Amino acid sequence: MRFLDCLLLLSLLYLRTTLADPEYHERLVLHPLTPASLLASFDFRSTTSLTSFEQQHFRYFPRSLGQILQHAKTRELHLRFSTGRWDAETWGTRPWGGAKEGGTGVELWAWVEATTNEEAFAKWITLTNALSGLFCASLNFIDSTRTIRPVMTFEPAGDHSNASLSNLHLLHGTLPREVVCTENLTPFLKLLPCKGKAGISSLLDGHKLFDASWQTMAIDVRPVCSSDGWECTVEMQQTVDMVLDIERSKRPRDNPIPRPVPHEDLVCDTSKPYSSEDTCYPLDVSHGQSWSLSEIFGRSIKGSCLATDSNGKASESVCLNVPDSRDVYTTPGSTEHKLPSGTSRCFTLPHSSPFEMVLPQQTPQTLVALPPPPLYASRSFTGHGQERGGVRTLLTNPSSTQPVEFIYLESLPWFMKPYLHTLKAHIPGLLPQPSQKSLIKEIYYRPALDRCRGTQLELRISIPPSATLTLSYDFDKALLRYTEYPPDANRGFDVAPAIIRLLSRLGISNAPMYLRTTSLLLPLPTPDFSMPYNVIILTSTVMALAFG
């Protein structure tokens, strides 16, 4: 009997060691883009074995999200909350190669397992409704008119078997009008093991995050399998990327209004010939300014959160991309590790005591510049009037030696009716002018149906070196029913940003690079909504006079 008990115990220990143990990792990367701006990238990763996920044995993986994915048969999920505009000309390449960036508002795409398109759409509606309640967002408004099925733009980021790929359906939806705020950040933090109470997530404050020049929150869930395919895990990655204005972030919360600096606190440039005791020329911010974590984020890091690797050693949770010559002071108890590149250093966090980092003012200041983006894109409306208009997109290839090839996706609302025969692509100033087929190599067009679905336009475009391509087309504006207008009808209707996937250049981990244009504001013919009010008042007045 004891032999059987020992054999059972050894079997359980063997199964426990062979199955993938759940893991959790987090890292914060601080990268000064300019002397006045700072890029902060938060990365949280939690994994669990596929067997534990299917049996709903959750440890670090959030149960609330896992049960939603199982109920909606979602095998891969990508969710984005974004505000602001990435200034590519000043800041350079997007973080993560644009893979963690979303369009303005809320963007969602997922691979759903189903046998038919109707079943996949029903699962999609179930998924959007559940995520709407989980993240306090209006995802339930993603209906058939805001849903498309991309063909060339997206590919699965996870490891899926060939048998399962045949039953996976890709659906994509956007809400460019959605305002991202603190009520979306709170459920985002609740998915973390430490709930924002410890670790690098303790720096995430709604006042600082949504005061940034640009910010995006991303959630990615995908299956990851080993090379032999025998061991699979479910990985969830949560990222928060934001660009902070250092001077603006250093303002105290109780006194956010900028006020004149006292004369004794002014930092003057004494190298100017006209500098004197009563004349001060303010020192340029390009000479560098001091900052600390508590000044930028309003608080310091409250200890570590499960910050150990598989060997039980403390992991490096905070990294700073500055040259080795830059002076950096941290709290005692943390360990600094400078990378061989000479442009980055990482720190381990103390287990229970707060962690603070201070960068004093240093002149001159040397920055680690991000590489330039492989493509610049901007989109705008053309034309005038309330009946028709046009869209013009400028796409610039900055490389002088290599052409760039990419997929261009637009998801247009049903009341914006483009004419495909007016689609033109040309390169101004280039003679002889390339043919349309050499610029636009492939087109996928799915026309809109009134009040049923929007327009889907996907193009495979190639731009020669050092050239700017102008892409344009015309469209008509449909008339809406008076009940279909929002409360602020005269503001206009938001059009989702265009999504660009670069094919000729690969980003991080051989993943394709993405970038998105800004959203557009479309004015539509708007009726005079004061007329029903005037008719009601006039009719009531006449009836009151007639009947006393």
Side-chain angles (χ1 to χ4, degrees), residues 240-258:
V240 178
D241 300 283
M242 53 181 164
V243 177
L244 298 167
D245 186 280
I246 296 179
E247 187 65 29
R248 182 183 179 92
S249 300
K250 290 171 64 176
R251 296 174 188 170
R253 186 182 301 179
D254 55 351
N255 188 18
I257 301 176

Side-chain angles (χ1 to χ4, degrees), residues 69 74 76-81 102-103 105-111 124 127-129 131-132 135 139-140 142 146-148 150 154 170-175 219 499 516:
L69 299 180
T74 303
E76 188 171 326
L77 173 72
H78 303 275
L79 179 61
R80 304 288 185 267
F81 299 90
V106 179
E107 183 177 349
L108 171 67
W109 69 96
W111 276 265
W124 169 257
L127 176 66
T128 56
N129 290 335
L131 293 178
S132 176
F135 291 100
L139 290 167
N140 56 310
I142 299 181
R146 296 180 174 91
T147 301
I148 60 174
F154 297 100
L170 171 61
L171 295 100
H172 178 276
T174 56
L175 288 174
I219 296 178
I499 304 174
R516 287 164 173 81

Side-chain angles (χ1 to χ4, degrees), residues 219-258:
I219 296 178
D220 299 280
V221 181
R222 65 187 183 116
V224 179
C225 297
S226 58
S227 57
D228 53 9
W230 288 100
E231 183 178 350
C232 294
T233 60
V234 179
E235 178 188 81
M236 186 184 74
Q237 183 178 11
Q238 297 177 247
T239 59
V240 178
D241 300 283
M242 53 181 164
V243 177
L244 298 167
D245 186 280
I246 296 179
E247 187 65 29
R248 182 183 179 92
S249 300
K250 290 171 64 176
R251 296 174 188 170
R253 186 182 301 179
D254 55 351
N255 188 18
I257 301 176

Side-chain angles (χ1 to χ4, degrees), residues 327-379:
D327 294 334
V328 179
Y329 303 103
T330 58
T331 304
S334 60
T335 305
E336 179 182 8
H337 174 228
K338 293 184 178 180
L339 300 184
S341 61
T343 58
S344 180
R345 65 188 75 181
C346 296
F347 304 89
T348 59
L349 301 180
H351 290 286
S352 57
S353 59
F355 174 81
E356 179 64 284
M357 178 190 297
V358 179
L359 279 77
Q361 184 176 356
Q362 187 172 352
T363 305
Q365 183 179 4
T366 304
L367 299 176
V368 181
L370 290 175
L375 183 69
Y376 294 96
S378 63
R379 188 174 62 150

